[in-house]
């Protein structure tokens, strides 16, 4: 269902934002190792969000009006 892809994309965007904030906190403390780890998670979540958004967009083009 298209709604599911939009919801999943939104959830991944929220996870991305949280991981970015957490990474920033670690970098500010000088803990580059942890900051880097959270930055990598942010990238993974961002990529997942993009894929879900692409799926939703593709499916919306396949919708038929009654």
């Amino acid at each position: 269902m298209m709604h599911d892809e939009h919801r999943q994309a939104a959830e991944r965007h929220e996870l991305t934002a949280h991981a970015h904030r957490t990474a920033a906190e670690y970098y500010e403390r000088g803990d580059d190792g942890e900051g880097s780890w959270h930055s990598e998670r942010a990238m993974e979540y961002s990529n997942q969000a993009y894929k879900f958004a692409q799926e939703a967009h593709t499916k919306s083009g396949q919708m038929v009006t009654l």
Side-chain angles (χ1 to χ4, degrees), residues 9-63:
E11 288 173 357
R12 293 313 187 285
H13 281 297
E14 290 174 6
L15 289 170
T16 300
H18 183 275
H20 275 298
R21 286 190 299 270
T22 303
E25 290 173 8
Y26 279 108
Y27 283 127
E28 286 177 6
R29 294 181 201 152
D31 190 343
D32 291 349
E34 283 293 315
S36 179
W37 188 88
H38 286 284
S39 291
E40 289 174 18
R41 298 296 79 71
M43 181 61 88
E44 289 176 19
Y45 292 138
S46 180
N47 289 336
Q48 292 171 4
Y50 178 77
K51 288 178 184 177
F52 282 121
Q54 285 295 99
E55 288 176 26
H57 177 73
T58 299
K59 289 181 180 180
S60 69
Q62 298 171 356
M63 295 178 67

